[in-house]
Amino acid sequence: MKVVSRQNWLLVALAQLVLVACLGLLLRYLLVAPIEGLNYKYLLHAHSHVALLGWLYTAVMVVLLLVFLPPGLRTKKTYTWQFWLSQAAVLGMLLSFPVQGYAAASITFSTAHLLLNYWFIYQFLKDANRAGVGRFSQQLSFRFIKAALFFLAVSSLGPWSLGPVMATGHSGGSLYYNAIYFYLHFQYNGWFTFAVLGLFFWLLEQHGLGVSRKKGNLIFRLLFWSFMPAFLLSVLWTQPAAWVYWAGGASGMAQVVAVLLLLVHVWPVRQKLKLLFTGLSGGVFWLAVAAFIAKNLLQLMTALPYIADIAYRFRYLIIAYLHLVLIGFISFFLFAFMGKQGWLQLQTNKSLWGMGLFLLGFIATEALLFLQGALFWWEAGAIPYYHELLFGVSIFLPAGMLLFFMSQWKDKMQVC
């Protein structure tokens, strides 16, 4: 099996991002003109699961194989089975969630994906150890990757706990939602964030820009040990005891300090980074950096009871924050990284137009979401025709990603 087949798997991930964008557009249309027979909550479940498990999980899985494993290991049939079985599980969720929400079929497919996660973690770490990954030049980057995989495994405790929580009559209560927030926290703040940081440090190591071992270990320890208590920031909506706010705030501050240390290192080599990320790759990379900084600052702000209450009461701000992290930080970094490695083509006219439209849709929707949340906070009322405006600018997201996907598909077909 050729290495290029693994790169072609990225097209499958992109196709699912197109589906995610289309589902998001449909959700926003339902707020303008509800369609009989379509359940908004059920569609939202499908949208979120395909986003996390179809697009992001698939993309990160493939990139980790390509970056850290040698050809003789990453082309094993084991990974082929894992890849296509995970795609089948995502397809099952895509078809079952819109029809029944959380029920037998959708729970079966999501459970199957959790089990496949465990299989991938075990096999990847086993093969990485066999190849000697992380023993020499990749020590810091692979440390972040191992932490990411650890958080991926721990995140599954959230879904596993839902059964007992619902069986004891707490469905829809604070335990139920905190189990979901636990899963989300360990997914996007843990698994995906640490994977992205691992890939970033890998680039620095590959190009001789790596941090010193002492500084790198300090950044890692600050982020790792502050990450887990940072979950407390996700439960402040329950208005817990004062010590929870203090503990959450301390963890948020430690993460901001770690980010500042990282920026202090990156600032002197920023010109060299500009040479690594040129053209469109450079644009989306620096946007991802800005989103990462904003993510950590906003997270720290939620340690304040007043801000935590605002974030809980105004759903628009929560949606804007999640999109900032999942699209603005994680997805745009992946685009920049894959473009830098030559696995995605970001310089053709179609890819430029496609990503440009997607960027336009992202920035416009974020602006509307944050503005509407702020207006409600200031008790200034709703933006006139808000849902119509949000739907209108959201069209750029699936349109842009579809055009970008088509440009990548055409490029791969020409290579073949």
Side-chain angles (χ1 to χ4, degrees), residues 17 61 66 76 109 135 145 171 178 278 316 339 350 364 397:
L17 181 54
M61 170 191 174
L66 291 170
K76 291 170 65 172
F109 287 119
R135 294 179 189 171
I145 298 303
S171 179
N178 284 339
T278 59
Y316 302 102
K350 281 188 177 180
L397 292 168

Side-chain angles (χ1 to χ4, degrees), residues 284-307:
V284 294
F285 170 75
W286 292 110
L287 180 58
V289 171
F292 178 57
I293 295 171
K295 162 195 176 301
N296 286 279
L297 291 176
L298 290 172
Q299 183 175 260
L300 176 60
M301 289 173 61
T302 59
L304 299 173
Y306 178 67
I307 301 298

Side-chain angles (χ1 to χ4, degrees), residues 19 46 53 62 145 173 185 200 214 240 280 294-295 306-307 373 377:
L19 285 173
L53 307 180
V62 176
I145 298 303
H185 175 70
F200 178 66
K214 182 177 180 181
L280 183 58
K295 162 195 176 301
Y306 178 67
I307 301 298
W377 170 25

Side-chain angles (χ1 to χ4, degrees), residues 343-365:
W343 303 331
L344 292 181
Q345 176 56 255
L346 273 67
Q347 302 305 323
T348 65
N349 285 334
K350 281 188 177 180
S351 63
L352 288 170
W353 272 100
M355 188 55 68
L357 289 173
F358 188 77
L359 278 166
L360 176 62
F362 168 73
I363 294 171
T365 53

Side-chain angles (χ1 to χ4, degrees), residues 64-231:
L64 292 185
L65 291 176
L66 291 170
V67 167
F68 290 100
L69 296 188
L73 292 175
R74 65 172 171 250
T75 55
K76 291 170 65 172
K77 288 185 179 180
T78 300
Y79 294 115
T80 302
W81 277 104
Q82 290 175 357
F83 178 83
W84 290 113
L85 286 173
S86 67
Q87 302 314 303
V90 171
L91 178 61
M93 287 181 270
L94 175 65
L95 297 176
S96 58
F97 269 116
V99 176
Q100 57 181 200
Y102 276 103
S106 58
I107 291 174
T108 298
F109 287 119
S110 57
T111 301
H113 201 284
L114 287 178
L115 298 176
L116 288 167
N117 290 351
Y118 299 150
W119 186 16
F120 173 71
I121 294 168
Y122 167 78
Q123 190 65 52
F124 178 80
L125 290 177
K126 179 182 177 181
D127 288 336
N129 182 64
R130 179 181 172 187
V133 178
R135 294 179 189 171
F136 304 105
S137 61
Q138 301 171 342
Q139 288 182 339
L140 181 59
S141 61
F142 197 64
R143 194 176 184 187
F144 273 94
I145 298 303
K146 287 190 291 185
L149 294 169
F150 170 70
F151 293 139
L152 171 60
V154 174
S155 72
S156 64
L157 296 177
W160 288 127
S161 68
L162 286 178
V165 167
M166 296 172 70
T168 54
H170 292 91
S171 179
S174 59
L175 280 176
Y176 175 85
Y177 285 109
N178 284 339
I180 294 175
Y181 295 150
F182 180 93
Y183 173 73
L184 290 174
H185 175 70
F186 276 81
Q187 280 278 311
Y188 70 80
N189 282 326
W191 154 231
F192 293 128
T193 293
F194 275 73
V196 163
L197 291 172
L199 294 172
F200 178 66
F201 279 109
W202 178 84
L203 272 179
L204 296 182
E205 292 166 346
Q206 291 296 111
H207 295 274
L209 306 175
V211 299
S212 67
R213 177 177 296 184
K214 182 177 180 181
K215 183 182 291 184
N217 287 334
L218 175 59
I219 292 172
F220 175 83
R221 285 195 295 267
L222 279 171
L223 288 172
F224 183 89
W225 293 111
S226 64
F227 161 77
M228 288 181 279
F231 167 66

